[in-house]
């Protein structure tokens, strides 16, 4: 169960930080809306690495597809998306 506090709980920041653990971030609200998350650095590293790995797995897949099906020229890409050529 996530821990949710008002941002005013930071007046006693040590009690907030004591509750932060891997798998248990503390979410802070401002004016009733979620604004901040305090996350253990081990969890942050894990989430960052997972996102990085997923991104590069997708990139590897796109590169393999391009090698198999052929690459799109820069001109064709610019024509499709309407971006002006570098000049």
């Amino acid at each position: 169960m996530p821990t949710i506090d008002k941002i005013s709980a930071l007046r006693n920041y040590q009690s907030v930080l004591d509750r932060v653990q891997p798998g248990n971030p503390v979410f802070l609200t401002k004016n009733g809306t979620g604004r901040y998350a305090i996350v253990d650095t081990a969890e942050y590293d894990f989430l960052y690495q997972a996102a990085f790995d997923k991104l590069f797995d997708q990139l590897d897949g796109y590169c393999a597809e391009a090698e198999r099906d052929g690459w799109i020229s820069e001109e064709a890409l610019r024509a499709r998306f309407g971006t002006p050529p570098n000049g």
Side-chain angles (χ1 to χ4, degrees):
M1 186 77 160
T3 302
I4 302 171
D5 273 326
K6 295 178 182 178
I7 199 163
S8 60
L10 286 178
R11 288 184 188 123
N12 187 2
Y13 68 90
Q14 191 60 51
S15 70
V16 174
L17 296 179
D18 286 344
R19 290 181 277 148
V20 176
Q21 297 176 14
N24 187 38
V26 174
F27 298 97
L28 300 174
T29 63
K30 185 175 182 179
N31 299 324
T33 303
R35 285 291 300 235
Y36 307 101
I38 303 174
V39 182
D40 181 85
T41 56
E43 183 174 8
Y44 174 83
D45 291 342
F46 174 80
L47 294 171
Y48 182 85
Q49 189 63 49
F52 188 82
D53 291 346
K54 184 175 181 177
L55 175 67
F56 275 88
D57 285 347
Q58 288 178 336
L59 184 58
D60 286 343
Y62 296 142
C63 287
E65 183 180 320
E67 292 292 336
R68 183 186 68 236
D69 299 339
W71 291 88
I72 298 172
S73 70
E74 180 181 352
E75 293 80 20
L77 187 65
R78 290 184 183 283
R80 179 173 179 178
F81 293 103
T83 58
N86 290 333

